[in-house]
Amino acid sequence: MGSFIKKNGPGTGVASRQHRQESFEQAPMYVAVMTYLGFGIVTLFGYFRDFLRAVGIEKCHLAQEREEQKDFVPLYQDFENFYTRNLYMRVRDNWNRPVCSLPGPVFDLMERVSDDYNWTFRLTGKTIHNAINMGSYNYLGFAENNTDFLKTVADKLCQYGVGVCSTRQEIGNLGIHEELEQLVASFLRVESSMIFGMGFATNSMNIPALVGKGCLILSDEVNHTSLILGARLSGATIRVFKHNNMHSLEKMLSEAVCSGQPRTHRPWKKILIMVEGIYSMEGSVVRLPEIIALKKKYKAYLYLDEAHSIGAVGQTGRGVTELFNVNPADVDVMMGTFTKSFGAAGGYIAGKKELVDYLRSHSHSAVYASAMSPPVTEQIIRAMKCIMGNNGSTEGIRRIRQLAENTRYFRARLKEMGFIIYGNDDSPVVPILLYMPGKVVAFAREMLERKIGVVVVGFPATPISEARARFCLSAAHTRAMLNQVLHHLNEVGDGLCLKFSRLKYSSCPDLHEETDSELGS
Amino acid sequence: MALSDFWKQLSWFYYQYILVTALYMLEPWERMVFNSLLVSVAGMAVYTGYVFMPQHIMAILHYFEVVQ
């Protein structure tokens, strides 16, 4: 059996120095067995408790049908409700924790306790101060409340107010929106761009405007819900290819081009390949040069969702197109969000001028959704100008370099300690695999006791046997903070037996060099 | 001193057992139910082994014609 590593090698004809291997190491067999055992035991107890509730020995705290409706089709018997009632509710103190400060590198949490095993909570009134924040998507540290930096935002707030009270199409098209759109287009080096008020809505409302019935969407296995929702709303045929697997994608493309639509065999009106720059649950980076080569060969279109990668990867923060040295004009639709690296809210779609002009009048989000709020727009403008280095300031470049250095250091130290980490060495999203449901919960609680806030994800968002804790690094984290987090991770990892990795990783003394890691088992 | 170390080690093992079998997520009375079921099943297995082992060993030895 041995340890199995899937390696995605470097792309064709690109400077491989930036390209490191991605590894998705599999855990030993006993870990999978024990994960399923744990889930089995909790499921059995779930059935037992449901029986007690049905018989009436225990009071049901969740929604229930009324007596008169007991003979109708059951509403709460499906697996999702069972899972929520019996697994999620038991341990839900690890999610939705109330935060009462800005989500910077350290933050404050409100302490809450439960007297009846997490059915209800009450706040004790105490605050946990200065917990280290390893869960916010604050990649470049722009979630800050320094009054000097926010001066322009305060000015715009006084000038425009907070609400726009209209949609872009009616009377909500402010000058500041146009300024931001030109800035985004010049940042991404494309012809033109359009911004929207909400990142999720950018995907789900614009894909229906681009494709419709008679089109084919080839989407990656682990795409985000917003992409999947947009694809389903559009009414196009959706086919899923294996995650980052170019053979699977090529097979689907050639089959689509040869056979055409399912029954009539007419050619597809459009073939759209939907991928993300960095996949947030896996930490892996898309293989852009190969996808562009495939897209040109089979005459398909490419939709690139750079929610997590814009601002966070690349030499000057321009995303995966810069990371792989690819011409931005090759990507047909570039989409991204401002929630992550820019510390604001909203999304953009960028590309050729005809595309963006079409979306201005045909996209649901442009026509019906309220426009972006002016202070938020100004925050994005100032963040983007900072990254681009206007006025000769080097603050942006410093942050990007700091993020890259933090990423390299953190990932290398975690691998050295023996945790199983997924994803590319360049990605600031670091998932640590925890597998067993009991350990997932214990991990979150232990880290909170040590004043470190982490995000743990379990079944519906990840495969059932691969629960993980997801760390999001930030340029605002100092080396001291990272060392503290690593120290606690080491202790918790030993205390909970989380170090499943069977690969030996030796880091060279100077972690700034990029020599190859020794992967032996 | 050795006894307190022993208790610490034992409670660490119990903690690992609780985590791996996901009993950590359950309420204390459910843990008690599961533990008593497990202990009773294991106890019954040990008792059966204790009662029947001599007979089984004699039968094996008889089969291999080591004793008559």
Side-chain angles (χ1 to χ4, degrees), chain A residues 108-180:
Chain A
D108 300 335
L109 290 163
M110 298 174 75
E111 197 185 17
R112 60 179 182 169
V113 294
S114 172
D115 302 315
D116 51 358
Y117 301 108
N118 293 340
W119 289 105
T120 57
F121 291 108
R122 65 182 165 86
L123 298 167
T124 57
K126 284 210 298 224
T127 320
I128 303 174
H129 287 286
N130 290 339
I132 299 183
N133 184 359
M134 298 302 290
S136 291
Y137 306 131
N138 184 18
Y139 297 131
L140 291 176
F142 282 114
E144 55 199 351
N145 53 3
N146 184 324
T147 32
D148 296 325
F149 292 157
L150 293 181
K151 195 164 174 337
T152 51
V153 179
D155 290 340
K156 289 288 190 255
L157 180 61
C158 294
Q159 185 186 347
Y160 284 105
V162 178
V164 184
C165 306
S166 185
T167 67
R168 282 297 290 284
Q169 238 199 15
E170 288 170 14
I171 207 162
N173 191 16
L174 306 175
I176 200 173
H177 295 144
E178 308 255 323
E179 187 189 336
L180 176 57

Side-chain angles (χ1 to χ4, degrees), chain A residues 11-12 218-220 241-247 249-250 253 272-277 279 285-304 324 326 330-332:
Chain A
T12 51
L218 295 171
S219 113
D220 190 294
F241 65 93
K242 293 200 183 24
H243 176 55
N244 252 354
N245 189 330
M246 297 300 112
H247 294 294
L249 178 59
E250 175 152 26
L253 272 169
L272 185 68
I273 306 174
M274 287 204 310
V275 287
E276 290 186 36
Y279 293 94
V285 170
V286 69
R287 297 163 75 174
L288 198 56
E290 293 159 37
I291 294 195
I292 299 228
L294 277 177
K295 151 195 122 93
K296 287 187 177 156
K297 179 174 172 192
Y298 290 96
K299 311 258 186 316
Y301 297 102
L302 179 60
Y303 186 102
L304 179 66
F324 292 103
V326 153
D330 281 337
V331 180
D332 301 292

Side-chain angles (χ1 to χ4, degrees), chain A residues 35 39 83 95 281 420 422 431-441 455-459 461-470 498 500:
Chain A
T35 309
F39 271 112
Y83 184 86
W95 289 277
M281 277 303 150
I420 296 188
Y422 274 9
I432 299 185
L433 274 286
L434 302 174
Y435 300 102
M436 301 177 214
K439 292 195 181 180
V440 158
V441 175
V455 168
V456 290
V457 253
F459 166 54
T462 65
I464 196 161
S465 59
E466 292 178 17
R468 58 199 73 177
R470 185 178 67 178
L498 290 172
F500 300 118

Side-chain angles (χ1 to χ4, degrees), chain A residues 33-255:
Chain A
V33 168
M34 292 208 262
T35 309
Y36 286 117
L37 173 75
F39 271 112
I41 292 179
V42 186
T43 309
L44 281 174
F45 272 98
Y47 282 126
F48 178 54
R49 294 291 288 266
D50 270 351
F51 167 71
L52 291 183
R53 279 182 211 122
V55 167
I57 298 178
E58 186 184 336
K59 187 166 97 79
C60 181
H61 296 267
L62 281 180
Q64 242 184 340
E65 295 133 324
R66 289 181 299 160
E67 276 307 313
E68 306 87 62
Q69 293 172 326
K70 283 273 159 71
D71 290 326
F72 288 18
V73 173
L75 288 173
Y76 304 113
Q77 299 280 42
D78 58 341
F79 180 65
E80 197 184 316
N81 279 302
F82 174 83
Y83 184 86
T84 309
R85 260 201 314 269
N86 295 308
L87 270 78
Y88 178 70
M89 280 298 180
R90 288 185 191 272
V91 291
R92 68 177 180 140
D93 60 306
N94 295 314
W95 289 277
N96 294 329
R97 290 188 185 138
V99 175
C100 56
S101 75
L102 90 121
V106 292
F107 65 164
D108 300 335
L109 290 163
M110 298 174 75
E111 197 185 17
R112 60 179 182 169
V113 294
S114 172
D115 302 315
D116 51 358
Y117 301 108
N118 293 340
W119 289 105
T120 57
F121 291 108
R122 65 182 165 86
L123 298 167
T124 57
K126 284 210 298 224
T127 320
I128 303 174
H129 287 286
N130 290 339
I132 299 183
N133 184 359
M134 298 302 290
S136 291
Y137 306 131
N138 184 18
Y139 297 131
L140 291 176
F142 282 114
E144 55 199 351
N145 53 3
N146 184 324
T147 32
D148 296 325
F149 292 157
L150 293 181
K151 195 164 174 337
T152 51
V153 179
D155 290 340
K156 289 288 190 255
L157 180 61
C158 294
Q159 185 186 347
Y160 284 105
V162 178
V164 184
C165 306
S166 185
T167 67
R168 282 297 290 284
Q169 238 199 15
E170 288 170 14
I171 207 162
N173 191 16
L174 306 175
I176 200 173
H177 295 144
E178 308 255 323
E179 187 189 336
L180 176 57
E181 288 178 355
Q182 277 160 6
L183 192 61
V184 168
S186 75
F187 178 68
L188 296 170
R189 300 182 183 129
V190 288
E191 279 177 32
S192 121
S193 81
M194 176 162 189
I195 59 168
F196 302 93
M198 182 176 160
F200 188 98
T202 309
N203 268 333
S204 49
M205 298 292 121
N206 285 309
I207 295 177
L210 294 173
V211 290
K213 272 185 83 139
C215 301
L216 175 67
I217 294 184
L218 295 171
S219 113
D220 190 294
E221 221 179 355
V222 294
N223 266 341
H224 191 250
T225 313
S226 54
L227 289 164
I228 299 178
L229 191 62
R232 286 186 188 162
L233 270 177
S234 69
T237 312
I238 308 175
R239 297 206 181 134
V240 172
F241 65 93
K242 293 200 183 24
H243 176 55
N244 252 354
N245 189 330
M246 297 300 112
H247 294 294
S248 169
L249 178 59
E250 175 152 26
K251 207 153 66 98
M252 285 198 173
L253 272 169
S254 61
E255 201 240 321

